[in-house]
Amino acid sequence: MHTNYYFLRQLASALTERLRGYRVAVCFSQEKDELVIGLANGTAEFWLKAQLGAAFPALALPETFQRARANSVDLFPDLLGQQVETIAAWPQDRVLQVNFRRGARLLLKLYGPRPNAIFRTAPDAPAQLFQQKLLADGTLCPVFALPAPSIPFAPSIPPAPSTKSDQSEKSERIRGSDPGKLPPPLADLPARYLRLNGYDPAPPETKTRLVNQVLAQLEKPPHYYLLRLDGRTRLSLLPLGEVLATLPGDDPVGALRQFMPLALSRRALEQETKQLRQLLERRAAEAGTAAAHARRRLHALAHEGGYRHTADLIMAHLHAIPAGATQVEVLDFYTNQPRLIKLKPTEKPQRTAENLYRKGKNQQIEERQLTERVARREAEALTALERLEELDTLPALAELRGLRAWRKQHGLDPVPTAAKAAAELPFKVFEDRGFTILVGRNAANNDLLTQKYAHKDDLWLHAKDVTGSHVVIRHRAGQPVPEPVVEHAAMLAGWYSRRQHDSLCPVTVTPKKFVRKPKGALPGQVVVERERVVLVKPGNPFDTP
């Protein structure tokens, strides 16, 4: 409610009393979406800092301010030396207007989606914009005869005369056209306060009385409240949610000075808590889904005729298989039922059985890996859910320092985005659980990745016995690469290889120090001196639909 009309009107009155006669000494910006104005009157100084970002538009009044020596840009040079006459709030709107004695006007537009500062040296002078991309604000003209304070609400009252603001014109049209609808300035906190006090089911006469009671309280609030509501820290003229502090209602400047530092610090805590919650929920969902997929695959393997089973039947019935046969029906001695087996006419049955025995061995390895994957992924999902519970229950996480320490302890620190890394590296770049995965684009690029970029302790992966991309998992000191990361990187190695369409792909995994390039080898060719092999289904696990 720090940008609500009723608070801005009281703030404008207090600032007029405080700043009349002050001159603008400096006007600059040293952070994105920040406008700082320093005013002076003799030895007295006053600072006004406008936060003009779409996420959190606000006006701060720091008691002191130190301008940075670097990365600071002067703005609105014609504003310097202007002497403040009055400050006013636009009726039914979120705009503060600073009137200067020589006719200049500065508008501070605090709309949530598109805040801005608009300066004119005279009524007919061109507009100077802080947010220059908001070109439409150039037509937003200062109001030179501000209407009187708002009148009590009644369903039959016609709309008040409109101001120059599109927002206030829309507000007044709504107010006049729908008698049962709350006045737009009562949106958000005042509206919630009314509904908590029985506004919605009340008859029209009671609604009018309730609204006028709240309007009277907003016109001259006995207190300002710093409160926490829906996970956000708010400044309110009405008590709602968890009240953190109760401040005198006759000092809007003091209330704003207490609210802004608290809101900014709490905002960082709220944003990081929200990001952590989303990360943990995503991890729990991903791990649960992966475990379910692995369980389904295990069930399918357990209930379908295995490769070894088929090979045994071929070898037991070799005498009954004619040369060049494309299929043969035999008695399955496991189930005592007839079984039709497809064959390749150009391949001997013994060779077919040999290939099936090899696939059967891989199938056993796959079953073992799937069992391990189910256990691992279920443990990950449980861990993520436990962290979510801690996020809601641990008192230490109610403070930013405690939250960041807990985040670091459990390896939940934010990492550079893959997009940023991709802009710096000439490879395909993926991020997984804080580890960077690099994928070569072609043979020459593979050489560059393996020979120039990869560190000896990085993990190196490649689809076994076929051409394909080199894949590297960047090493992080003191942190072993989790198996899910290895699994995802192996899936990439299979996907960017000749085995892309195989149902199962063996992938070599080894530290890069065991990979060397022989003298005279072609681009991309290397020799691996020590390896382990994982079986995965080729794919891109980071490809979002």
Side-chain angles (χ1 to χ4, degrees):
M1 208 172 171
H2 59 288
T3 61
N4 181 276
Y5 160 66
Y6 289 99
F7 178 75
L8 289 181
R9 193 181 65 183
Q10 294 155 37
L11 179 65
S13 177
L15 289 177
T16 296
E17 184 178 345
R18 181 79 66 91
L19 295 180
R20 183 179 281 118
Y22 275 64
R23 293 183 182 273
V24 177
V26 290
C27 180
F28 60 92
S29 178
Q30 61 187 35
E31 293 184 12
K32 183 181 179 182
D33 299 327
E34 174 191 84
L35 176 66
V36 180
I37 300 174
L39 302 105
N41 188 7
T43 59
E45 64 178 33
F46 193 94
W47 292 94
L48 187 153
K49 183 171 74 171
Q51 305 277 1
L52 299 175
F56 186 65
L59 194 64
L61 307 174
E63 296 190 26
T64 60
F65 193 90
Q66 296 296 325
R67 183 173 182 175
R69 296 182 179 180
N71 301 322
S72 178
V73 180
D74 290 316
L75 297 173
F76 299 147
D78 295 331
L79 181 59
L80 301 183
Q82 296 282 354
Q83 191 172 19
V84 176
E85 182 176 19
T86 60
I87 300 174
W90 284 17
Q92 321 302 329
D93 215 334
R94 292 167 286 171
V95 179
L96 270 183
Q97 177 174 311
V98 184
N99 304 312
F100 298 98
R101 289 185 178 173
R102 287 184 288 179
R105 298 289 186 269
L106 175 67
L107 304 182
L108 297 175
K109 182 167 72 79
L110 302 176
Y111 296 0
R114 52 190 192 284
N116 205 353
I118 304 101
F119 176 66
R120 292 178 186 269
T121 56
D124 56 349
Q128 302 175 36
L129 306 179
F130 176 79
Q131 299 283 13
Q132 298 186 20
K133 60 185 178 182
L134 301 177
L135 297 178
D137 286 346
T139 62
L140 195 63
C141 298
V143 179
F144 286 86
L146 290 170
S150 60
I151 55 179
F153 168 80
S156 59
I157 292 178
S162 63
T163 70
K164 300 293 185 179
S165 165
D166 293 339
Q167 174 73 12
S168 59
E169 288 178 5
K170 179 180 177 183
S171 298
E172 294 297 337
R173 286 198 304 270
I174 294 174
R175 179 176 173 178
S177 62
D178 188 352
K181 192 164 186 175
L182 291 173
L186 294 188
D188 197 15
L189 297 185
R192 292 182 67 166
Y193 181 82
L194 277 169
R195 292 188 171 104
L196 286 174
N197 285 274
Y199 177 86
D200 286 335
E205 298 79 8
T206 305
K207 285 184 176 181
T208 301
R209 179 177 54 80
L210 288 172
V211 170
N212 284 330
Q213 287 176 354
V214 170
L215 285 174
Q217 192 169 351
L218 295 175
E219 294 285 349
K220 192 173 181 181
H223 301 287
Y224 297 115
Y225 302 94
L226 303 185
L227 52 87
R228 183 172 175 80
L229 183 66
D230 297 337
R232 296 171 57 197
T233 302
R234 310 287 296 273
L235 173 65
S236 174
L237 281 65
L238 301 163
L240 279 168
E242 177 189 355
V243 177
L244 305 175
T246 302
L247 308 173
D250 58 355
D251 185 11
V253 172
L256 198 58
R257 281 178 169 167
Q258 289 198 46
F259 166 70
M260 283 304 298
L262 177 64
L264 292 175
S265 63
R266 296 293 299 184
R267 181 171 175 79
L269 173 66
E270 291 155 5
Q271 287 181 333
E272 292 189 20
T273 301
K274 180 180 178 181
Q275 291 168 357
L276 277 172
R277 189 179 306 281
Q278 291 174 342
L279 171 64
L280 291 169
E281 288 174 349
R282 185 171 65 250
R283 284 192 180 181
E286 288 176 353
T289 302
H293 288 167
R295 279 195 298 269
R296 284 197 293 270
R297 176 60 179 160
L298 269 175
H299 183 270
L301 291 175
H303 289 81
E304 67 183 16
Y307 295 118
R308 180 176 290 276
H309 181 171
T310 305
D312 288 343
L313 293 177
I314 292 174
M315 294 303 294
H317 295 85
L318 277 177
H319 62 282
I321 302 175
T326 58
Q327 62 183 27
V328 62
E329 185 174 341
V330 300
L331 180 66
D332 189 338
F333 44 76
Y334 289 104
T335 63
N336 203 30
Q337 297 292 328
R339 169 88 178 275
L340 185 67
I341 299 175
K342 292 184 178 181
L343 300 170
K344 294 181 179 179
T346 58
E347 185 177 77
K348 291 183 178 181
Q350 293 93 330
R351 179 64 175 173
T352 302
E354 181 183 342
N355 291 336
L356 289 172
Y357 278 127
R358 187 177 67 253
K359 289 183 177 181
K361 183 178 179 181
N362 289 342
Q363 189 177 47
Q364 290 177 341
I365 297 173
E366 183 184 6
E367 289 174 349
R368 184 176 69 251
Q369 290 184 349
L370 286 170
T371 302
E372 294 172 354
R373 189 180 305 168
V374 168
R376 183 177 67 248
R377 300 296 256 167
E378 287 180 341
E380 289 175 9
L382 180 60
T383 299
L385 292 174
E386 289 174 347
R387 298 286 175 266
L388 277 171
E389 186 176 354
E390 290 177 7
L391 201 58
D392 292 326
T393 57
L394 289 181
L397 304 187
E399 298 296 333
L400 189 59
R401 181 177 297 179
L403 180 73
R404 288 177 174 173
W406 179 84
R407 185 183 65 191
K408 184 175 182 180
Q409 175 189 350
H410 295 293
L412 300 172
D413 277 335
V415 295
T417 62
K420 181 178 178 182
E424 300 170 352
L425 297 171
F427 316 107
K428 295 183 180 73
V429 182
F430 304 91
E431 293 287 338
D432 192 8
R433 291 167 174 77
F435 287 84
T436 301
I437 303 173
L438 306 177
V439 180
R441 297 179 181 273
N442 50 49
N445 196 243
N446 284 341
D447 270 353
L448 182 67
L449 172 59
T450 300
Q451 304 303 321
K452 300 296 184 182
Y453 278 82
H455 184 268
K456 67 176 184 177
D457 292 324
D458 292 345
L459 276 186
W460 184 91
L461 302 91
H462 194 280
K464 192 169 178 62
D465 300 330
V466 293
T467 58
S469 293
H470 295 191
V471 177
V472 168
I473 305 175
R474 282 281 178 86
H475 171 71
R476 296 182 68 183
Q479 297 186 34
V481 181
E483 278 304 312
V485 178
V486 176
E487 178 186 322
H488 289 166
M491 292 171 65
L492 290 171
W495 183 249
Y496 294 106
S497 78
R498 288 290 181 89
R499 294 186 184 271
Q500 182 183 79
H501 300 296
D502 288 5
S503 58
L504 206 60
C505 174
V507 176
T508 294
V509 182
T510 186
K512 190 269 173 185
K513 61 186 176 184
F514 297 123
V515 180
R516 63 181 178 85
K517 186 175 183 65
K519 185 176 181 180
L522 295 174
Q525 287 186 342
V526 294
V527 173
V528 180
E529 298 176 345
R530 188 181 304 176
E531 66 178 13
R532 70 182 175 99
V533 177
V534 297
L535 285 170
V536 295
K537 182 178 181 180
N540 184 350
F542 308 102
D543 187 18
T544 55

